Amino acid sequence: MIPSLPRRRLLTATAIAPAAALNARLAVAQTLTKVRLTAGANIGYSHQYVGEATGIFRKHNLDASVILFDVGFLGTEAVVAGQAETAGTVEFPLMSLLARGADLVVPAIMITADDLKIVALTSIAKPADLAGKRVAYIFGSSAHYALYRYCLRHGIPWDSIKGVNVPAAEQVAVMARGDVDAFVWLEPMVQRGLDVMKGKAHVLKPGIETAYRTRTYLEMSRAWVDRNQEATVALLRALIECDAFVRAEPRKTAEIAAKKLNIPVDTAASLLKAVGFDWRIYLDAEVKKVFAEVATWMRENGRLKGDTPNMDRVFVPQYLRQIDPSRVIGF
């Protein structure tokens, strides 16, 4: 009987090992914080696609998934409704939601770019030629405000622009039918418009970047951030790592973005190179001046009623400061 004792011990150990491994995996799973990130269905959110696909978010104890929307501000509305944890939009739609009572905070700027473009008929050769023309853009979007700033910068009377409210996905088709003379949006719609128009349209120069630069703010529910402060810091750490990955692995980034957006890899690679996105995570108090300008414009155009949102309350620099104080400027 004695020789059988080691075997019994071995069988017991063998039976325990899988259970211990399973318990360890369950313990790890229980430490993950669920985070539903939202993104506009474009190349600009590639750093988030990278975090999801490579496991960077999971590495930072985040059970994260990226939900695509036609435009970014729909993601912000999802956050307000409790259907997501993060969103990213520019000043205009964020200010609009804040003014309607949305209790959102901004721990960082997560995308900076010169991505908005004016795709116009070749007969529109210079900014002044836009006067009297039909221009498609999404009313209430970054394109709306950016075009206004562009007209102001280049001396084009705003009331001379015949604005047409067209969803992003329909702008190319509307232009191809001849219903508008130009549209304002970003990739991949810009290249798609040029391809469809077959030499009859071009990207107008000088461009939107002469009057407005896109900054996309990481937007989150104040209540969620207050309850999940460690996860908020972890998310910022993860996004910083995603930025480093994009810089180090441009081809792999293009492959990940292409799969997420269902576009050819070479197209994704060319878009990433052409637009020149900057995914550095930072927060600069200078943007409060930009929000003030946006609020003034909205109020003058009947798009902001009641008190102007207090942006000092919206910006929460303390989370990014815990990681790297040099990324927080002026707060």
Side-chain angles (χ1 to χ4, degrees), residues 106-248:
V106 172
I109 298 167
M110 66 175 181
I111 311 170
T112 309
D114 295 325
D115 55 345
L116 285 166
K117 307 294 180 184
I118 302 172
V119 178
L121 296 176
T122 53
S123 58
I124 301 173
K126 58 186 182 298
D129 295 340
L130 285 172
K133 300 300 190 297
R134 300 161 298 172
V135 183
Y137 52 88
I138 302 169
F139 286 12
S141 71
S142 58
H144 188 163
Y145 180 69
L147 181 62
Y148 164 75
R149 298 293 302 182
Y150 182 81
C151 289
L152 189 66
R153 169 70 175 79
H154 293 284
I156 306 165
W158 178 243
D159 58 6
S160 73
I161 298 294
K162 299 177 181 178
V164 183
N165 190 14
V166 181
E170 299 175 17
Q171 290 175 359
V172 173
V174 168
M175 187 175 192
R177 289 200 304 266
D179 294 339
V180 298
D181 306 298
F183 70 84
V184 185
W185 199 232
L186 36 72
E187 298 290 5
M189 292 304 172
V190 172
Q191 188 58 51
R192 192 171 299 169
L194 297 176
D195 292 342
V196 169
M197 294 302 291
K198 298 179 179 178
K200 298 178 181 178
H202 67 144
V203 174
L204 186 61
K205 299 291 184 180
I208 291 285
E209 65 276 2
T210 59
Y212 177 83
R213 193 168 198 210
T214 301
R215 296 179 186 87
T216 299
Y217 301 84
L218 175 62
E219 302 151 358
M220 307 175 74
S221 159
R222 184 184 305 277
W224 191 92
V225 169
D226 287 346
R227 291 194 309 269
N228 298 275
Q229 296 186 36
E230 289 186 7
T232 300
V233 173
L235 176 61
L236 292 171
R237 289 188 188 277
L239 290 172
I240 290 170
E241 188 171 337
C242 291
D243 173 46
F245 182 98
V246 171
R247 295 173 190 272

Side-chain angles (χ1 to χ4, degrees), residues 20 28 31 35 45 55 58 63 94 99 116 154 168 174 211 222 232 250 253 276 294 302 304 312 315-316:
V28 171
T31 65
V35 180
Y45 295 82
R58 184 166 288 269
D63 178 15
L94 175 57
L116 285 166
H154 293 284
V174 168
R222 184 184 305 277
T232 300
T253 299
V294 170
L304 182 63
D312 285 324
F315 290 113
V316 285

Side-chain angles (χ1 to χ4, degrees), residues 310-328:
N310 181 2
M311 297 309 298
D312 285 324
R313 186 170 181 270
V314 174
F315 290 113
V316 285
Q318 61 268 31
Y319 301 104
L320 186 57
R321 189 179 287 121
Q322 291 181 45
I323 302 169
D324 183 356
S326 70
R327 294 176 180 268
V328 180

Side-chain angles (χ1 to χ4, degrees), residues 47-64:
H47 65 318
Q48 292 192 167
Y49 310 151
V50 161
E52 178 186 42
T54 64
I56 290 176
F57 288 139
R58 184 166 288 269
K59 172 185 172 181
H60 290 271
N61 297 323
L62 302 172
D63 178 15

